[in-house]
Amino acid sequence: MSFLQRLKSETHQAHLDLEKAMPLGQPDLNLTGYGRALQAFSAVVPALEQRLLALPFPPEFQVASGVRAASLIEDLRVLGLEAASPSRAWDTLTLDEGLGALYVLEGSRLGGAIIARSLPPLGLSDTHGASYFAVTPDLSPRWKNFQAALERQADKQTAPTPQQSSRGQKQLLAPS
């Protein structure tokens, strides 16, 4: 089993728990549930991205081009909502944990593409209230490049453990 297969397998339950806790992608999704989900993300994503930008990642991880906090905050503004208080959980994030967090954030782009399809009936689009989930043309190549870079890190024995990767998912469920 490859490193990525093991990582996906061992973080699968945390992923399911997150999906179950969030109303996104559910047939009964409404603006209130959507707004609450964005607020939950806003407690985590901006602080996490800020910390990730400060870590010494190899350039191939393209951290700076992947930040989406501004889109998240703009979506909240469109909905008339405030961002949640930022989580302090990321203040001591290590490079390995950062790689795990990147795994979660980059993977969430794929889930975001699915979520984006359910938002137009709510009056939302990639330019109005749903920019955080907007599908970009580089979605598939970006994910493939990220996976390849992560596998190379695993070969160097400096890749995140499944526990470090699922930290991001668990933090979304209960930000501190």
Side-chain angles (χ1 to χ4, degrees):
M1 183 181 295
S2 75
F3 171 76
L4 283 171
Q5 289 170 329
R6 193 181 97 231
L7 191 60
K8 183 176 180 179
S9 171
E10 294 183 25
T11 60
H12 182 70
Q13 188 59 51
H15 185 256
L16 292 177
D17 292 344
L18 178 60
E19 283 183 349
K20 191 183 298 180
M22 293 287 171
L24 301 172
Q26 300 299 320
D28 61 345
L29 179 65
N30 59 34
L31 280 175
T32 300
Y34 176 71
R36 285 187 188 139
L38 289 184
Q39 285 180 311
F41 290 151
S42 76
V44 177
V45 173
L48 175 56
E49 285 183 352
Q50 185 176 34
R51 179 65 182 138
L52 291 173
L53 288 168
L55 291 173
F57 289 104
E60 65 188 329
F61 284 101
Q62 304 176 30
V63 178
S65 70
V67 295
R68 297 185 291 162
S71 296
L72 178 60
I73 301 306
E74 174 59 17
D75 290 346
L76 285 168
R77 188 197 63 73
V78 166
L79 295 173
L81 300 172
E82 296 289 325
S85 297
S87 170
R88 305 283 305 179
W90 309 111
D91 289 355
T92 59
L93 196 69
T94 67
L95 184 59
D96 283 349
E97 290 169 333
L99 286 167
L102 278 177
Y103 173 74
V104 173
L105 288 176
E106 289 295 329
S108 76
R109 291 174 183 278
L110 300 173
I114 295 166
I115 292 166
R117 287 184 245 160
S118 70
L119 299 178
L122 300 178
L124 303 171
S125 69
D126 61 353
T127 60
H128 180 77
S131 62
Y132 181 72
F133 296 111
V135 178
T136 59
D138 69 340
L139 182 64
S140 182
R142 183 181 179 93
W143 178 242
K144 289 176 183 172
N145 290 338
F146 175 77
Q147 289 179 320
L150 197 55
E151 279 287 0
R152 285 189 293 278
Q153 285 299 116
D155 291 344
K156 296 177 188 175
Q157 297 180 344
T158 58
T161 66
Q163 294 77 23
Q164 290 165 327
S165 296
S166 66
R167 178 180 176 192
Q169 293 165 321
K170 291 176 184 174
Q171 190 61 33
L172 282 172
L173 291 171
S176 48

